[in-house]
Amino acid sequence: SNGPAGKVPTTAVPITWTSDHSVTRAGWKICLAATQTEAPTMPPTDAPGVGAWSVTEGACEVDGNCVTSPNFPSNYSNNQGCSTSVHENGKA
């Protein structure tokens, strides 16, 4: 299914997800939309760029400008969880 469109994650609020002990479903994927207003610049390869994800806890994975549940696109397992953050200007 499709999630809510037009929701914008912020650097101030991490996203935390957990699955319960009895139901598994198809994995999920959250991607940042491009909102480029200036000429693109390349961030250093060892630092996250504007709008980059990081997984701060758990088994979720970063895939480009997206973050996914464990085992995406297949089902995630019971009792899984993660917390993610969005970086701005290359900073956590």
Side-chain angles (χ1 to χ4, degrees), residues 8-77:
V8 179
T10 66
T11 57
V13 181
I15 297 174
T16 301
W17 166 80
T18 58
S19 63
D20 66 17
H21 68 281
S22 64
V23 178
T24 63
R25 302 229 186 256
W28 50 263
K29 184 175 191 176
I30 301 171
C31 298
L32 298 172
T35 57
Q36 193 78 35
T37 57
E38 300 177 12
T41 59
M42 297 302 293
T45 57
D46 61 345
V50 174
W53 290 100
S54 69
V55 176
T56 55
E57 184 178 344
C60 291
E61 296 182 17
V62 174
D63 179 14
N65 70 332
C66 302
V67 63
T68 67
S69 62
N71 208 33
F72 177 83
S74 299
N75 287 5
Y76 51 77
S77 298

